[in-house]
Amino acid sequence: MRPKSIAVIIVAAGRGERASAGGSSEPKQYRPIAGVPMLARTTRAFLAVPDVTHVVTVIHADHAQRPAALGLSDARLMEPVTGGETRQASVLAGLQALAPLRPDLVLIQDAARPFVTPKVIGDVIEALKHNDGALPALPITDTIKRSADGQQVTTTEDRNQLFAAQTPQGFRFGQIFSAHMRASTIRRQFTDDAEIAEWAGLQVALVPGDRNNIKLTHPEDFARGERIISGDQAMETRVGTGFDVHPFEPGNAVWLGGVRIPHDKKLKGHSDADVALHALTDAILGAIGEGDIGVHFPPSDMQWRGAASTVFLKHAGGLVAKAGGRIVNLDVTIVCEAPRIAAHVPAMQAVIGETLGIATTRIAVKATTSEQLGFTGREEGIVAMASASIEMPRGD
């Protein structure tokens, strides 16, 4: 069963002083990497995941004006909250800000890990179906020595049992909030949220981490971050197209682009017959080689009878994110004599953007007539054509 709400806490409340040795006085979370501030990159990584419903950033008291300068705009972004003197206190501040919303799940992310991928995020969410908590981790490949004084080797650890933890660390909200509240009453500082969960008796699972999901702490880390971005040529652009047509039948409104438009007819179909979103869904699925809408939502399946087509579109967007891709731009053309579409285009862009978690500037919706020719000209139905440009990891 899919969670109804997934909140994200991005911990950015430190001063970032260790990263300043390279001559930059900018706090590391606001320092640009290839021209984009680190915190903006980290936040966008989560806003690109359609299942994420809320994002709250925990910031330092001295940085109150900085988040607004990042240029981020998304209805899921909450007002930043002020953190505490420790990371543990800052996470608790984020949890308290989310408490009135009572999300099902919460992902806790270090702002200093801007290269987290949709796959890592998705794997953590998936693991929470069967576990109280989950975190990405990488197996330790170096031989690990323990020393009591830093000079002589005491013992050699079994590296087969050792893993390096990353973020996001995900939990069921109520459980981790309760654990953090209890932990705040004892005189002990925990190294991460998974340790608090373990201390509270919660079951925490490991999922595969990512080698590029590094934490930027020292000046040399930023140089590596630049190399990660410049080496992003392993991505390729794919294009998919979609086409759909639905006839009219008696009714009083049509659904187009996720918007209900009053009309003297409605479109006939198994779902809400939103011809525009059907074409767009097929374009996205085509770009990633995942068949068409009928493969994923067969018209013979009665659970989709009358379903809102935003469900289909969100599913296609989720497949893109799970594969580590991103939607570059979408283009939809609607062909009909009536109803008139132009006045509804901004609303359609808003619905599509919200459903897929992308900016409306990446979405084009156009309408035209067929000059009274053919079945559309006789007002017997509506045609929609769409194209989708998707950036995906190179598969070869």
Side-chain angles (χ1 to χ4, degrees), residues 33-67:
I33 310 169
V36 179
M38 179 202 292
L39 181 54
R41 286 190 179 276
T42 304
T43 305
R44 287 174 182 171
F46 288 89
L47 293 177
V49 179
D51 286 339
V52 167
T53 55
H54 303 89
V55 177
V56 62
T57 306
V58 186
I59 62 173
H60 194 280
D62 294 344
H63 303 159
Q65 307 305 316
R66 288 183 176 271

Side-chain angles (χ1 to χ4, degrees), residues 52-102:
V52 167
T53 55
H54 303 89
V55 177
V56 62
T57 306
V58 186
I59 62 173
H60 194 280
D62 294 344
H63 303 159
Q65 307 305 316
R66 288 183 176 271
L70 297 177
L72 299 171
S73 178
D74 193 290
R76 296 170 292 172
L77 278 173
M78 300 171 58
E79 285 295 317
V81 298
T82 302
E85 294 184 1
T86 64
R87 183 188 184 280
Q88 184 176 326
S90 294
V91 172
L92 180 56
L95 291 167
Q96 289 170 328
L98 290 170
L101 302 174
R102 301 173 69 179

Side-chain angles (χ1 to χ4, degrees), residues 35-362:
V36 179
M38 179 202 292
L39 181 54
R41 286 190 179 276
T42 304
T43 305
R44 287 174 182 171
F46 288 89
L47 293 177
V49 179
D51 286 339
V52 167
T53 55
H54 303 89
V55 177
V56 62
T57 306
V58 186
I59 62 173
H60 194 280
D62 294 344
H63 303 159
Q65 307 305 316
R66 288 183 176 271
L70 297 177
L72 299 171
S73 178
D74 193 290
R76 296 170 292 172
L77 278 173
M78 300 171 58
E79 285 295 317
V81 298
T82 302
E85 294 184 1
T86 64
R87 183 188 184 280
Q88 184 176 326
S90 294
V91 172
L92 180 56
L95 291 167
Q96 289 170 328
L98 290 170
L101 302 174
R102 301 173 69 179
D104 295 312
L105 306 178
V106 62
L107 307 181
I108 303 170
Q109 169 74 7
D110 292 330
R113 292 187 188 270
F115 303 119
V116 61
T117 64
K119 185 178 187 309
V120 168
I121 297 170
D123 286 349
V124 171
I125 293 172
E126 183 70 19
L128 292 176
K129 289 181 179 179
H130 307 291
N131 300 278
D132 301 324
L135 75 154
L138 292 175
I140 299 296
T141 56
D142 294 327
T143 297
I144 304 298
K145 303 292 185 181
R146 182 182 295 276
S147 173
D149 58 7
Q151 298 181 12
Q152 299 292 322
V153 172
T154 303
T155 186
T156 300
E157 302 289 348
D158 180 3
R159 67 183 180 189
N160 293 321
Q161 299 183 34
L162 300 177
F163 295 82
Q166 299 181 340
T167 64
Q169 298 184 0
F171 308 92
R172 294 169 185 166
F173 180 80
Q175 292 179 326
I176 196 64
F177 188 21
S178 174
H180 257 280
M181 290 293 289
R182 290 164 51 201
S184 69
T185 65
I186 66 173
R187 302 182 68 177
R188 171 182 169 185
Q189 284 300 309
F190 295 84
T191 58
D192 67 359
D193 307 289
E195 186 182 5
I196 291 178
E198 298 156 24
W199 167 78
L202 302 180
Q203 181 187 41
V204 181
L206 299 178
V207 302
D210 188 291
R211 295 289 175 190
N212 285 339
N213 187 20
I214 61 173
K215 187 174 183 180
L216 306 188
T217 303
H218 303 286
E220 58 269 25
D221 297 331
F222 282 82
R224 182 179 172 190
E226 297 278 354
R227 291 195 299 272
I228 289 173
I229 294 171
S230 64
D232 200 22
Q233 302 308 309
M235 301 292 283
E236 62 184 8
T237 300
R238 301 182 187 178
V239 176
T241 61
F243 176 91
D244 198 32
V245 56
H246 282 276
F248 282 125
E249 65 179 6
N252 58 12
V254 297
W255 283 95
L256 288 172
V259 176
R260 186 179 186 275
I261 303 174
H263 191 47
D264 59 2
K265 304 179 185 69
K266 70 174 183 177
L267 289 172
K268 182 179 180 180
H270 185 65
S271 61
D272 62 5
D274 190 327
V275 64
L277 293 192
H278 290 184
L280 190 55
T281 300
D282 271 353
I284 295 172
L285 293 173
I288 62 175
E290 286 285 350
D292 61 20
I293 196 170
V295 172
H296 299 267
F297 303 95
S300 57
D301 191 338
M302 295 306 294
Q303 70 173 309
W304 309 120
R305 186 170 183 80
S309 294
T310 50
V311 173
F312 311 151
L313 185 63
K314 185 171 185 176
H315 174 75
L319 292 177
V320 173
K322 187 175 182 180
R326 72 180 186 97
I327 297 171
V328 178
N329 76 286
L330 304 171
D331 190 3
V332 186
T333 300
I334 301 169
V335 184
C336 62
E337 300 293 326
R340 296 294 182 182
I341 304 299
H344 303 282
V345 166
M348 293 181 189
Q349 290 174 302
V351 170
I352 295 168
E354 183 177 356
T355 301
L356 294 172
I358 63 174
T360 56
T361 53
R362 296 182 181 274

